[in-house]
């Protein structure tokens, strides 16, 4: 078994190709007569040394890209740092600024800038200068020898701002994909209940798409991005859940001013949150649970709210119009009222005694479904009119519901005197009388049984405030 040095095949190929003339010359020398060999040997040595000298620069560390190094298809061997940086910047600007998004529906061209993708000149420079300057001598020699026969091609290195990419791809996917929905009910212009079956939608794992983009950017592969679309078929309400709900049990409407944008916006949100709610037999509906906390993060706007009998700026003004309208639809459809609180004073959009105020955390409106079938809440808005419908089984529809308000009693207001040394003269803030009324409801259910209940509404009086200041 031989003890000689064994080179990898690729290195042997390089040596054979690089020094092939010297090898042939060596063979020729030994075919020449002996007396002429000294002269030929000298000439051969000179030739071999010249070949070795011409190639020696390949193995000397110069601090520049090695022989055979390319940036994309452009040779950058031997460039100094300024020239190399120039080539990187030039290619960054000349490089295609778009990527093709491949979806089941086709392809779409996206701008890399919108995806938060940009070329990174510093990392590109580091990647180029890391090749052929390895700390391992064997790897150092091997890579430089290989580069002589197999040119090395480096790509631009890209970085991805992942939050920007995620936000952009999430919005894009929502605009492109088919939206699914639960089964739902609507009413025809003639008042007929229409059942709309559930529909499967499409979803995309946006984070997986971002991860794919980052991986491809690391490899310099920014030609195509493939969007994997999945079918979404999980439903909260199905057509089977709504079977048999073909009768309008009751409805109620209230008007509002659409030009009051903050208040109108909040009514829109609350209406959208309660519509489509299915309340099963014996279940209790909670307005606060369904609508949620009224915050700016939840989408609610600034609008006047009633606090201590006064309208003051706040978040969620207009919500009580939705709860009050729903209260009346619940009354008319025979729901069992579990919790209801009147406002501090009568409101303009609902008759006195028939309002229901709500406040997150301490005032709720709740009712219980007394029937043997589910009931469905449908809420719509049209040109400043809020309409809420209670839909159920025709076998549960009450034969009669009558509601009356009476026993009105005025609650006189008083007066308070306060002193303010910063005020010049006196100021009076007029108060208002309060009111107490009773709301009665008489129901004859589908089975002929009668049911009566009543609700007290006390609207607190507001005292006149006399503020005495200092003399002029």
């Amino acid at each position: 078994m031989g003890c000689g040095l064994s080179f990898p095949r690729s290195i042997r190929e390089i040596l054979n190709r690089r020094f092939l003339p010297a090898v042939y010359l060596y063979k020729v020398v030994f075919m020449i007569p002996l007396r002429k060999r000294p002269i030929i040997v000298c000439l051969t040595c000179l030739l071999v040394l010249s070949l070795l000298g011409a190639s020696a620069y390949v193995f000397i560390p110069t601090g520049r890209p090695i022989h055979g190094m390319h940036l994309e298809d452009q040779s950058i061997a031997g460039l100094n740092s300024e020239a190399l940086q120039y080539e990187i910047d030039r290619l960054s600007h000349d490089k295609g600024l778009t990527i093709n998004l491949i979806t089941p529906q086709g392809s779409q061209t996206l701008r890399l800038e919108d995806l938060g993708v940009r070329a990174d000149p510093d990392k590109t420079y580091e990647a180029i200068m890391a090749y052929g300057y390895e700390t391992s001598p064997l790897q150092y020699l091997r890579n430089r020898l290989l580069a002589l026969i197999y040119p090395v091609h480096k790509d631009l290195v890209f970085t991805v701002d992942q939050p920007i990419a995620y936000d952009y791809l999430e919005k894009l996917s929502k605009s492109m994909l088919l939206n699914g929905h639960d089964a739902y009910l609507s009413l025809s212009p003639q008042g007929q209940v229409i059942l709309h079956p559930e529909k499967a939608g499409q979803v995309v794992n946006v984070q997986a798409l971002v991860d794919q983009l980052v991986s491809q950017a690391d490899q310099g592969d920014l030609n195509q991005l493939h969007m994997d679309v999945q079918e979404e078929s999980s439903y909260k309400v199905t057509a089977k859940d709504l079977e048999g709900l073909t009768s309008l049990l009751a409805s109620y409407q209230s008007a509002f001013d659409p030009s009051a944008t903050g208040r109108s916006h909040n009514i829109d949100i609350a209406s959208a949150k309660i519509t489509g709610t299915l309340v099963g037999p014996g279940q209790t509906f909670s307005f606060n649970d369904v609508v949620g906390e009224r915050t700016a993060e939840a989408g609610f706007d600034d609008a006047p709210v009633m606090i201590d009998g006064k309208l003051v700026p706040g978040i969620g003004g207009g919500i009580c119009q939705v709860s009050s309208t729903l209260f009346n639809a619940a009354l008319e459809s025979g729901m069992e009222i579990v919790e209801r609180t009147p406002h501090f004073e009568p409101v303009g959009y609902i008759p006195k005694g028939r309002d229901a105020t709500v406040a997150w955390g301490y005032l709720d409106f709740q009712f219980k479904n007394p029937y043997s079938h589910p009931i469905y809440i449908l809420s719509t808005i049209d040109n400043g009119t809020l309409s809420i419908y209670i839909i159920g089984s025709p076998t549960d529809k009450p034969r009669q519901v009558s509601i009356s308000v009476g026993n009105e009693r005025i609650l006189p207001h008083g007066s308070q005197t306060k002193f303010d040394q910063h005020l010049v003269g006196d100021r009076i803030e007029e108060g208002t009388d309060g009111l107490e009324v009773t709301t009665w409801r008489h129901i004859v259910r589908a089975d002929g049984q009668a049911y009566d209940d009543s609700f007290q509404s006390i609207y607190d009086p507001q005292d006149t405030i006399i503020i005495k200041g200092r003399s002029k």
Side-chain angles (χ1 to χ4, degrees), residues 218-229:
D218 289 342
Q219 301 169 24
D221 177 15
L222 290 173
N223 295 318
Q224 293 183 344
L225 186 65
H226 292 266
M227 177 184 283
D228 184 20
V229 178

Side-chain angles (χ1 to χ4, degrees), residues 260-462:
T261 54
R263 194 171 184 279
S264 298
H265 175 76
N266 293 336
I267 292 174
D268 284 342
I269 292 181
S271 171
K273 285 182 177 291
I274 67 170
T275 196
T277 302
L278 194 66
V279 184
Q283 288 185 348
T284 297
F285 170 91
S286 164
F287 187 89
N288 281 345
D289 286 349
V290 173
V291 175
E293 187 173 2
R294 276 69 89 181
T295 63
E297 291 77 14
F300 292 96
D301 278 354
D302 286 323
V305 295
M306 188 77 74
I307 298 179
D308 294 332
K310 297 180 180 180
L311 281 173
V312 298
I315 298 288
I319 302 300
C320 290
Q321 180 158 352
V322 181
S323 60
S324 295
T325 307
L326 179 60
F327 170 52
N328 281 274
L331 284 176
E332 298 279 2
S333 61
M335 296 297 109
E336 180 183 327
I337 307 304
V338 176
E339 180 181 347
R340 171 259 175 183
T341 305
H343 287 79
F344 291 103
E345 64 182 19
V347 293
Y349 51 80
I350 292 285
K352 56 192 174 186
R354 299 188 65 166
D355 58 316
T357 188
V358 290
W360 176 261
Y362 61 99
L363 291 178
D364 197 5
F365 168 59
Q366 298 183 8
F367 67 82
K368 181 180 179 180
N369 175 10
Y371 302 133
S372 56
H373 302 90
I375 61 100
Y376 183 89
I377 300 173
L378 172 63
S379 183
T380 65
I381 292 176
D382 182 31
N383 294 324
T385 299
L386 170 66
S387 302
I388 298 182
Y389 307 88
I390 304 294
I391 299 172
S393 170
T395 60
D396 293 329
K397 187 176 178 65
R399 296 182 184 179
Q400 178 189 351
V401 176
S402 59
I403 299 172
S404 59
V405 179
N407 275 2
E408 292 190 14
R409 184 170 69 89
I410 301 296
L411 304 177
H413 71 282
S415 65
Q416 299 180 41
T417 301
K418 297 181 180 180
F419 297 91
D420 185 352
Q421 293 300 319
H422 300 287
L423 180 67
V424 177
D426 298 339
R427 188 175 77 226
I428 298 176
E429 298 177 357
E430 293 291 345
T432 57
D433 289 337
L435 180 67
E436 180 178 0
V437 299
T438 302
T439 302
W440 292 280
R441 179 174 63 162
H442 176 71
I443 305 173
V444 179
R445 302 211 181 271
D447 59 4
Q449 293 186 357
Y451 176 82
D452 294 279
D453 57 3
S454 62
F455 311 92
Q456 291 296 116
S457 299
I458 298 176
Y459 304 103
D460 297 328
Q462 301 297 315

Side-chain angles (χ1 to χ4, degrees), residues 205-275:
N205 186 334
V206 178
Q207 187 56 55
L209 195 58
V210 172
D211 293 343
Q212 180 191 156
L213 178 64
V214 172
S215 175
Q216 291 185 199
D218 289 342
Q219 301 169 24
D221 177 15
L222 290 173
N223 295 318
Q224 293 183 344
L225 186 65
H226 292 266
M227 177 184 283
D228 184 20
V229 178
Q230 303 292 331
E231 185 176 281
E232 175 63 56
S233 57
S234 60
Y235 310 105
K236 294 179 181 178
V237 179
T238 66
K240 187 176 181 180
D241 298 326
L242 302 179
E243 285 180 357
L245 305 185
T246 59
S247 178
L248 177 60
L249 303 185
S251 65
Y252 198 85
Q253 289 78 37
S254 65
F256 63 92
D257 181 6
S259 65
T261 54
R263 194 171 184 279
S264 298
H265 175 76
N266 293 336
I267 292 174
D268 284 342
I269 292 181
S271 171
K273 285 182 177 291
I274 67 170
T275 196

